[in-house]
Amino acid sequence: MNNTGLNAPKQITENMIQAGVTKVRTPLIKMFLLGIFAGMFIACGASASSVAMHAMSNVGLQRLVGGCIFPIGLMMIVLVGGELFTGDCLMIMGCVHKKDSVLDVVRVLAIVYCSNFIGSVLMAFMVYMSGQLGFTNGLLGAFTIKIAMGKVSMDFGT
């Protein structure tokens, strides 16, 4: 018996496999809604971190503040039990251990990916409609464009 309250790697793996088995059995509408919420929450964390750091000139401080605020989106996902694509990719362990079929995992990943996308687009629309991008005489909008351009300009390997 482990008295530390921490799980050994083997137990963590077994827990993740069981979580994947549960996700495969989750009703479509529930999975879809939890995916939309997760997409909105992760976009909310990203938006909040951009608001906090857009006018800072010190890049180190900017990254520190962004790194402290962005995880709030992840915390919201955990609190509601949301379905985030990046976490659901761990379902591959269930395939390796023959607990889930590849088709089931691909189905869940496709549903979650699409619903995360819908949630993030909804959040982006709300940010746009709120006028938030005009903060600090348009500096937040320019900062947002700079981040987006940096991300879409990366080569595949990066």
Side-chain angles (χ1 to χ4, degrees):
M1 182 78 184
N2 186 351
N3 293 330
T4 64
L6 302 173
N7 290 325
K10 182 178 179 183
Q11 186 60 46
I12 293 169
T13 303
E14 290 171 5
N15 291 347
M16 292 306 303
I17 292 169
Q18 187 55 47
V21 169
T22 303
K23 287 176 193 216
V24 165
R25 296 183 183 137
T26 302
L28 176 69
I29 189 69
K30 181 178 180 183
M31 188 183 312
F32 192 73
L33 289 173
L34 289 173
I36 289 174
F37 282 127
M40 290 180 76
F41 290 154
I42 204 73
C44 185
S47 177
S49 66
S50 289
V51 169
M53 62 186 194
H54 78 278
M56 294 179 176
S57 58
N58 184 321
V59 176
L61 183 60
Q62 192 180 51
R63 306 261 167 131
L64 175 67
V65 168
C68 289
I69 294 175
F70 178 79
I72 293 171
L74 295 170
M75 289 180 220
M76 291 189 296
I77 293 168
V78 170
L79 289 174
V80 300
E83 294 290 341
L84 192 61
F85 178 81
T86 52
D88 285 356
C89 286
L90 288 171
M91 290 177 63
I92 193 70
M93 289 189 295
C95 289
V96 171
H97 288 89
K98 309 276 192 252
K99 301 285 185 181
D100 297 321
S101 72
V102 173
L103 189 60
D104 284 338
V105 172
V106 169
R107 179 184 61 83
V108 168
L109 290 177
I111 292 165
V112 170
Y113 186 86
C114 292
S115 59
N116 285 175
F117 178 75
I118 291 167
S120 64
V121 169
L122 284 170
M123 187 67 191
F125 178 72
M126 288 189 283
V127 165
Y128 173 76
M129 293 305 291
S130 73
Q132 176 178 313
L133 297 175
F135 284 6
T136 325
N137 293 323
L139 188 60
L140 178 57
F143 181 77
T144 303
I145 291 169
K146 178 183 166 192
I147 289 173
M149 289 304 296
K151 291 184 183 284
V152 300
S153 300
M154 291 181 197
D155 59 43
F156 182 77
T158 304

